[in-house]
Amino acid sequence: MYHTIEFVSDHVIDLEVSRTRRLERVLIRKGTRVQAMIKPGVVESEEGPIEVADLFFEDGTATSCVPFDWFLFVD
């Protein structure tokens, strides 16, 4: 299921365009809205556990380990 999410601040993400190509660094601007499938998870940091998500976009691209505090749900 796709959800509309909006990024709450500017961030550079590593975007997987194809499994055979290198990751592309992309700047996501504050206010950008996208449709994405979300696979939640938790990673350990020096400050403790952080809730993250792998995002799978409608155009077939994907990114991983995006902290939940970087975006909000619009729908």
Side-chain angles (χ1 to χ4, degrees):
M1 171 185 233
Y2 283 94
H3 300 277
T4 303
I5 60 171
E6 180 177 324
F7 287 87
V8 296
S9 56
D10 294 349
H11 294 284
V12 175
I13 61 169
D14 292 325
L15 192 65
E16 182 182 299
V17 176
S18 166
R19 291 182 183 224
T20 59
R21 293 178 54 192
R22 290 179 157 212
L23 295 176
E24 294 181 13
R25 286 201 168 262
V26 177
L27 174 64
I28 301 290
R29 296 264 182 207
K30 177 181 178 179
T32 299
R33 288 186 176 189
V34 294
Q35 294 284 317
M37 285 195 306
I38 297 165
K39 182 181 174 188
V42 176
V43 295
E44 281 294 326
S45 74
E46 292 178 3
E47 294 83 35
I50 298 174
E51 293 179 303
V52 297
D54 294 344
L55 304 177
F56 301 92
F57 303 110
E58 284 185 308
D59 64 1
T61 59
T63 190
S64 42
C65 291
V66 176
F68 267 88
D69 62 353
W70 285 16
F71 64 91
L72 54 84
F73 291 90
V74 176
D75 55 355

